[in-house]
Amino acid sequence: MTEVFNGQEEKDVFLRAYSSMILSRMFDKKIVTAQRQGRVGFYTPTIGQEATQVGVSMALNPDDLVYEYYRDVPFMIHRGVPVEVLLDQIMGNSEDSAKGRQMPSHYNAKAQNFMSVQSPVATNLPLAVGAAYAIKHRKENKVVVTTFGDGSTSTPDFHAALNLASVYDLPVIFLCENNQWAISLPVEKQTKVEIWKKAEAYGAYGVKVDGNDFLETFKVAKEAVDRARSGKGPVLIEAVSYRIGPHSTSDDPSKYRSEGITEGSEKDPIVIAEKRLKDLGYITDEIIDKMKSEAKRIVDQKFDEREKIPPPKPETMYDDVYKEMTWIIKEEKGEAL
Amino acid sequence: MSSKQLNMVQAINSTLDYALSKNDSVVLLGEDIGRDGGVFRVTEGLQAKYGSDRVIDTPLVELGIVGMSIGMALNGMKPIPEIQFQDFIFTAFDQLVNQAAKLRYRSGGQFNVPMILRTPYGGGIKGGLYHSQSGEAYFAHTAGLTVISPSNPYDAKGLLMSALEYEDPIIFLEPKKLYRSTKIDVPDEEYKVPIGKASVVREGNDLTIVTYGSMVPVVTAAIEKNKVDAEIIDLRTIMPYDGETILQSVKKTGRAMIVMRLREHLVWALKYQHFWQRGLLTILWDQY
């Protein structure tokens, strides 16, 4: 990796990436447990996709735009979104920037250039294309990353977005986080073709990477981002990982699949990262243990702290439908309150 | 004050021309809108004047046209997409309902979508099932969308001028039957017709008729022919409609009728009924 960073810089960058992965993992475990305890309504775990997201995040500039989906906590954490912001959204409290209106896992973080998350899959992709058009129109040196799962590749939005981004040579990175499962449908039943190969049909550049390995992902993402930034058009990255957890806290994977990669096994992205960093001499077991307990402490503390924040006031649910509240909504508000 | 005799196509074309000339962030996009000037020639000559990067011929993908426009609007641009016929908009419905209409709300007011989606709608050109639909009820039912339909060239320009400064997504429905049916005086200067405000196109005492779009000239002709002393209200903005103007008129006339190119039993039509019932009840109460 010496072609990208020099000695100490590389160590810092890699350790920060590992730290984000650990924090995300601890966050994930905490929220799943809290959901089981009835303290959180719902959650879409990201366990297994940390390396994919952190690897791509490492290749971006802070002012690049991200049109993400509902399983991108590690991505957000690595780009500096405070844990508090994620917790406030999940809890839907009065500090939540979306005023408690969205289902948990539907984050936004304007300060770190993350768009607001939607549920209908792949509908964020055409938006990313429009964002890239605006960037090109203003001759800005930015790229747009948009993320989605393997299931999204079957949608008309995926097709439309890949086609449009290619036709207009736009700087979009389509990051397919292939975790191999779309709720209960395995990727082999989703599509007959490897996802990265679909790029060629549009005239985009397609590439596949081991999404369990953050350094491999970073390397591929860096090339993709450089390519898009230099005006060579869109890239489709297929990052293959595995959804270690359920789709959401509302389904039990044992009903539809046998166990694949498990937490702590040799394909777990965190285990791979630890091996890589040990091989480079950047980390020891002692440091790992320390980082993990520190991450857990932070998550536990922030969770308890944010849980004390009251919910939004009910009357705020009528705001922000339009810039100016229409007389019809005023009337509805009057009838309800 | 100078003015020109323009039909609705010319009025919209000149307003789009004005918008493109005033603001570099305005872009038009749609199928055949550039080299061909649009199938109704509404965008005629604009690509030659402003270039293919600002008057963009797109692939045939309505959801992509709308989705891309939303992304542009979120990033400081003022996109004016055209859907060739409103009948073809339905693959973009997800983008309109779940993205455009909801972004302001779902982000707690942090993001907004200042997009003007233009599309010809309604019958009158022998278009059959797929070139004649009046789908305004679908859009009017979606919180977050603003639905507009002009009935004459003057309003078309004035409403579009207001739309240029509006910060939420607009569905701008152009009654294709009226595109070239009449020419009226349209001022050269800038003027605005306010969004959300109906116009009383004819005052009367015996009956209130609420209508909009291509039914306005039909209703006007029928009233004149039958010598009915009716008050005709042209909504101009379908949602949010101008409840106050309707109420005041119904209080005066005591009777109300809706004329629109839609099925009768739509919920939003019932909302009007509800409104009138209250209006009428108020009158009865006053008399009692």
Side-chain angles (χ1 to χ4, degrees):
Chain A
M1 303 303 285
T2 45
E3 68 272 26
V4 183
F5 303 110
N6 56 41
Q8 185 59 38
E9 189 192 12
E10 178 178 281
K11 185 180 173 185
D12 292 346
V13 168
F14 290 5
L15 285 183
R16 196 175 89 73
Y18 175 69
S19 161
S20 297
M21 291 170 69
I22 291 295
L23 186 58
S24 304
R25 181 66 64 92
M26 293 302 168
F27 183 88
D28 218 57
K29 293 160 93 73
K30 176 74 183 179
I31 305 300
V32 170
T33 305
Q35 195 278 338
R36 301 307 186 215
Q37 294 167 337
R39 297 160 81 187
V40 156
F42 172 88
Y43 182 64
T44 51
T46 53
I47 182 167
Q49 288 170 235
E50 295 93 344
T52 292
Q53 295 172 24
V54 170
V56 173
S57 175
M58 288 166 74
L60 296 175
N61 294 337
D63 63 350
D64 291 330
L65 308 180
V66 188
Y67 283 66
E68 75 284 8
Y69 82 130
Y70 47 70
R71 208 186 298 283
D72 279 334
V73 164
F75 204 146
M76 299 185 85
I77 283 180
H78 190 66
R79 268 169 75 83
V81 177
V83 169
E84 290 89 330
V85 168
L86 304 175
L87 288 169
D88 290 344
Q89 197 287 317
I90 288 170
M91 292 171 181
N93 63 32
S94 53
E95 296 286 314
D96 171 30
S97 60
K99 304 180 186 174
R101 289 171 188 156
Q102 288 240 71
M103 183 180 201
S105 297
H106 292 57
Y107 319 97
N108 73 77
K110 199 173 184 180
Q112 290 79 19
N113 290 308
F114 284 97
M115 183 44 60
S116 147
V117 171
Q118 59 290 308
S119 294
V121 300
T123 58
N124 50 327
L125 274 56
L127 273 57
V129 177
Y133 199 97
I135 284 170
K136 194 176 175 183
H137 181 72
R138 289 195 291 260
K139 299 183 171 59
E140 293 170 345
N141 190 34
K142 297 180 194 171
V143 301
V144 184
V145 178
T146 185
T147 66
F148 50 94
D150 38 300
S152 287
T153 63
S154 297
T155 65
D157 299 68
F158 171 82
H159 163 69
L162 256 297
N163 187 50
L164 287 164
S166 300
V167 164
Y168 300 116
D169 287 319
L170 297 175
V172 186
I173 313 295
F174 292 91
L175 173 60
C176 179
E177 301 185 28
N178 178 2
N179 65 18
Q180 306 186 50
W181 289 89
I183 303 189
S184 65
L185 196 75
V187 69
E188 315 84 76
K189 290 195 175 171
Q190 192 71 245
T191 176
K192 292 285 272 186
V193 185
E194 280 194 273
I195 290 162
W196 68 277
K197 289 183 180 170
K198 294 169 193 272
E200 192 184 348
Y202 301 104
Y205 179 70
V207 59
K208 180 178 164 180
V209 66
D210 179 359
N212 289 325
D213 185 333
F214 84 105
L215 289 183
E216 283 300 312
T217 305
F218 166 61
K219 206 155 56 175
V220 165
K222 182 84 177 71
E223 281 167 18
V225 170
D226 289 347
R227 187 187 167 89
R229 210 186 294 281
S230 67
K232 290 184 184 149
V235 180
L236 170 62
I237 301 175
E238 178 187 1
V240 183
S241 65
Y242 185 79
R243 199 191 74 206
I244 295 177
H247 162 71
S248 76
T249 47
S250 302
D251 67 297
D252 174 6
S254 69
K255 194 175 172 192
Y256 50 76
R257 71 178 188 190
S258 52
E259 219 165 63
I261 296 174
T262 50
E263 190 180 7
S265 68
E266 61 177 10
K267 288 256 178 89
D268 179 332
I270 302 253
V271 173
I272 291 175
E274 286 165 359
K275 187 178 180 310
R276 295 282 238 143
L277 294 172
K278 280 184 194 168
D279 289 350
L280 287 164
Y282 291 165
I283 208 163
T284 60
D285 283 329
E286 198 187 339
I287 297 172
I288 289 171
D289 290 345
K290 223 168 128 186
M291 285 174 82
K292 283 183 177 168
S293 53
E294 175 60 7
K296 188 175 181 308
R297 190 193 63 77
I298 289 171
V299 170
D300 286 343
Q301 184 203 319
K302 301 281 184 198
F303 191 96
D304 291 344
E305 185 187 303
R306 306 319 280 181
E307 209 176 22
K308 296 193 181 77
I309 298 170
K313 292 197 162 57
E315 57 268 30
T316 62
M317 68 180 274
Y318 294 91
D319 297 337
D320 305 317
V321 182
Y322 299 91
K323 188 181 182 203
E324 310 287 345
M325 188 181 284
T326 64
W327 70 270
I328 296 167
I329 296 170
K330 277 183 196 153
E331 201 171 81
E332 287 168 346
K333 184 177 176 180
E335 283 167 9
L337 295 173
Chain B
M1 205 185 299
S2 62
S3 65
K4 284 189 194 71
Q5 287 270 306
L6 298 181
N7 64 30
M8 194 184 285
V9 165
Q10 293 166 322
I12 295 170
N13 179 281
S14 67
T15 312
L16 294 173
D17 192 347
Y18 164 86
L20 285 158
S21 72
K22 282 281 175 187
N23 182 351
D24 181 60
S25 66
V26 171
V27 290
L28 314 186
L29 61 162
E31 296 161 11
D32 308 298
I33 68 158
R35 293 174 72 174
D36 193 34
V39 295
F40 288 98
R41 312 288 174 265
V42 176
T43 51
E44 183 89 65
L46 298 177
Q47 190 181 68
K49 201 165 169 183
Y50 298 99
S52 57
D53 291 339
R54 293 188 64 207
V55 180
I56 309 160
D57 279 314
T58 66
L60 275 70
V61 56
E62 284 75 14
L63 83 86
I65 294 167
V66 174
M68 214 171 126
S69 298
I70 297 167
M72 290 171 167
L74 289 165
N75 287 279
M77 297 187 79
K78 183 78 184 184
I80 310 183
E82 175 183 297
I83 298 299
Q84 199 162 72
F85 285 86
Q86 184 251 281
D87 313 63
F88 306 154
I89 211 166
F90 299 107
T91 60
F93 209 55
D94 197 10
Q95 286 292 336
L96 286 168
V97 173
N98 283 324
Q99 291 287 6
K102 290 188 175 43
L103 265 153
R104 183 188 285 280
Y105 189 75
R106 80 171 196 231
S107 67
Q110 296 177 91
F111 299 107
N112 63 305
V113 182
M115 163 180 86
I116 309 169
L117 187 152
R118 298 178 35 251
T119 187
Y121 84 116
I125 60 153
K126 305 189 196 319
L129 275 67
Y130 303 110
H131 294 76
S132 305
Q133 293 178 61
S134 295
E136 58 270 38
Y138 300 116
F139 309 113
H141 266 109
T142 298
L145 298 181
T146 296
V147 186
I148 290 173
S149 182
S151 69
N152 61 70
Y154 179 92
D155 285 351
K157 174 173 174 175
L159 287 165
L160 202 47
M161 290 292 289
S162 293
L164 289 169
E165 291 181 6
Y166 201 68
E167 293 179 34
D168 287 304
I170 287 175
I171 311 294
F172 196 88
L173 296 167
E174 300 170 359
K176 62 174 90 74
K177 170 81 174 163
L178 304 186
Y179 262 155
R180 296 172 189 278
S181 62
T182 46
K183 283 192 175 186
I184 59 169
D185 260 351
V186 177
D188 293 331
E189 61 167 14
E190 299 167 28
Y191 65 90
K192 287 184 190 126
V193 169
I195 291 167
K197 191 87 192 99
S199 84
V200 178
V201 294
R202 183 191 187 281
E203 290 192 3
N205 295 300
D206 292 347
L207 166 68
T208 298
I209 303 180
V210 178
T211 187
Y212 55 84
S214 65
M215 285 294 101
V216 174
V218 173
V219 168
T220 307
I223 292 311
E224 277 159 17
K225 186 180 169 193
N226 295 297
K227 302 195 172 19
V228 179
D229 186 19
E231 184 142 300
I232 304 174
I233 295 176
D234 176 358
L235 284 181
R236 302 193 293 201
T237 298
I238 297 170
M239 188 60 76
Y241 58 88
D242 181 354
E244 187 56 28
T245 297
I246 300 170
L247 180 62
Q248 291 312 322
S249 179
V250 177
K251 275 184 179 170
K252 180 173 74 174
T253 62
R255 295 184 188 85
M257 177 193 277
I258 329 169
V259 182
M260 52 187 182
R261 301 182 87 116
L262 281 175
R263 297 185 67 201
E264 191 179 351
H265 294 287
L266 288 162
V267 181
W268 82 280
L270 292 175
K271 177 77 183 179
Y272 284 105
Q273 299 280 13
H274 167 74
F275 194 90
W276 286 333
Q277 276 167 10
R278 277 190 287 164
L280 292 168
L281 282 171
T282 309
I283 293 158
L284 291 172
W285 183 260
D286 288 348
Q287 285 170 351
Y288 188 77

